[in-house]
Amino acid sequence: MKRSWQIFWHIFSWICVIAFFASIARYSGKMTTKAVAVIFGLYGIINISVFYVNYLLLIPKFLNRKRYKLFVLSIITTLIAYGLLKYGVGLIFKDIILDRMKGQSIGFWKYFLNTFFITLIFLFLSTVLKFTIDWFLNERVQRDLENQRLTAELSFLKSQINPHFLFNSLNSIYSLAYQKSDTTPEAILKLSEIMRYMLYECNDNKVDLSKELQYLQNYIDLQKIRFGNKAFINFEVLGEVTNQQIVPLLLISFIENAFKHGIANDAQHPIQMRINVEGGRLYFFIQNKKHSHNRDAA
């Protein structure tokens, strides 16, 4: 919300509050127009100024900086200062303020204590409002930071996956085309679907689980083609896949590493992959036989 709109809503809210109570007092017939103007107009402005002295000055300068002793001292000083100010205004409008109770003048200490509690209420309300707004702002900042972190992690993950995977896939497709293999069109189609998903469909923090599983299936199918259909891979999805969502590209690193560091063409030790969707949770299991030598350079 822009600052101008914040100021507008603050002013509008105070006008509504003052007008509401002033109209009740006026139409009850117990107060004259002058008394209503002084008590709800002039004193209303004074009380509102107490509210914003605490809201804009005392809390940011002392309380937010954990200078608690200075904050308490400033609150006490404000209570005393505004008590004296209100009594001074009461002396100016003595017939309306101090002499309004059956002609008996209200003494200083009695009037001071009455205004003391009213001032304290406005200080309390401003403190509650300040902490409430700050809490909501902090929550929004935390959500924005979390979204930025997830976006950065997703971008980093995509940057790690794309080059390695793309070059290997293109090399495999080139080999298939060179051999005039009938699986070349299928391999190109699978790669096209994978790249479309990675570039256009997984830019949000969450994607449909069904799309993510289809992406994994396409990746596995492309790897099978790359191994000339001599890869032994067991991939199964258990449970009901409906409208669940998942962080995109969360599982692909495990699957990619299974092909990169594992042995896929051993019938006795196939790559085992199992996804179980159960009770709002996703369980992922993967197992592969590891190469005896390092394939990081591959």
Side-chain angles (χ1 to χ4, degrees):
M1 183 184 293
K2 293 182 178 180
R3 190 168 184 83
S4 58
W5 276 105
Q6 291 180 345
I7 295 173
F8 168 78
W9 283 113
H10 276 254
I11 295 174
F12 178 77
S13 299
W14 286 120
I15 291 175
C16 290
V17 170
I18 293 174
F20 175 74
F21 287 103
S23 62
I24 292 177
R26 181 68 184 91
Y27 290 109
S28 66
K30 297 181 179 180
M31 287 188 182
T32 63
T33 302
K34 182 180 179 181
V36 171
V38 172
I39 294 173
F40 292 98
L42 182 57
Y43 276 88
I45 293 173
I46 293 174
N47 287 325
I48 291 172
S49 69
V50 174
F51 182 97
Y52 286 107
V53 164
N54 187 41
Y55 185 86
L56 298 175
L57 181 62
L58 302 184
I59 294 176
K61 190 172 183 179
F62 300 120
L63 192 57
N64 287 351
R65 298 179 182 179
K66 298 181 179 181
R67 302 164 72 179
Y68 301 119
K69 291 182 180 179
L70 289 176
F71 177 72
V72 173
L73 181 62
S74 65
I75 290 294
I76 295 173
T77 304
T78 302
L79 289 169
I80 295 173
Y82 272 90
L84 295 174
L85 174 62
K86 290 180 179 179
Y87 187 74
V89 174
L91 290 175
I92 297 173
F93 299 96
K94 189 172 183 295
D95 58 324
I96 297 175
I97 306 299
L98 300 180
D99 296 338
R100 70 177 186 271
M101 295 183 65
K102 298 181 180 180
Q104 297 180 357
S105 180
I106 303 176
F108 171 77
W109 288 109
K110 184 177 181 179
Y111 184 76
F112 183 84
L113 289 176
N114 289 337
T115 59
F116 176 90
F117 287 108
I118 294 174
T119 304
L120 191 61
I121 289 173
F122 277 86
L123 289 172
F124 173 76
L125 291 175
S126 62
T127 303
V128 171
L129 179 64
K130 182 66 175 176
F131 274 93
T132 301
I133 292 177
D134 287 348
W135 183 83
F136 278 107
L137 289 177
N138 287 334
E139 285 294 308
R140 187 171 67 180
V141 169
Q142 291 298 323
R143 288 196 300 269
D144 291 342
L145 289 175
E146 181 65 17
N147 290 334
Q148 291 176 12
R149 184 183 67 80
L150 291 174
T151 301
E153 289 180 353
L154 179 58
S155 298
F156 175 76
L157 184 60
K158 291 171 69 174
S159 69
Q160 296 298 307
I161 294 172
N162 286 348
H164 178 270
F165 166 73
L166 183 60
F167 286 129
N168 279 347
S169 298
L170 289 175
N171 285 335
S172 299
I173 293 174
Y174 171 79
S175 177
L176 292 174
Y178 184 79
Q179 299 172 12
K180 302 186 185 320
S181 173
D182 294 335
T183 59
T184 303
E186 181 184 358
I188 295 174
L189 179 61
K190 293 291 182 183
L191 179 60
S192 174
E193 292 176 352
I194 289 172
M195 298 308 298
R196 181 173 63 250
Y197 177 80
M198 296 175 71
L199 293 175
Y200 302 114
E201 297 185 23
C202 64
N203 294 320
D204 295 328
N205 291 332
K206 294 289 184 66
V207 296
D208 291 340
L209 178 59
S210 57
K211 292 183 178 180
E212 183 74 7
L213 294 179
Q214 182 59 52
Y215 161 67
L216 297 179
Q217 184 64 64
N218 287 334
Y219 181 90
I220 294 170
D221 290 342
L222 188 58
Q223 292 294 339
K224 288 181 178 179
I225 296 174
R226 176 188 169 196
F227 281 90
N229 291 321
K230 294 179 181 179
F232 296 93
I233 304 165
N234 295 328
F235 177 63
E236 58 180 342
V237 178
L238 306 176
E240 186 176 359
V241 179
T242 53
N243 297 320
Q244 301 97 329
Q245 289 193 318
I246 188 175
V247 176
L249 308 178
L250 185 64
L251 306 177
I252 186 61
S253 294
F254 299 100
I255 297 177
E256 185 184 43
N257 283 335
F259 286 100
K260 182 179 179 181
H261 302 289
I263 299 175
N265 57 357
D266 187 347
Q268 299 298 321
H269 302 90
I271 296 177
Q272 302 281 356
M273 289 176 281
R274 182 170 64 252
I275 293 176
N276 187 12
V277 182
E278 180 180 336
R281 294 177 178 271
L282 185 143
Y283 301 92
F284 178 62
F285 170 83
I286 186 166
Q287 184 181 57
N288 62 274
K289 184 179 179 180
K290 187 179 179 181
H291 274 283
S292 58
H293 59 280
N294 192 348
R295 296 189 63 196
D296 282 344

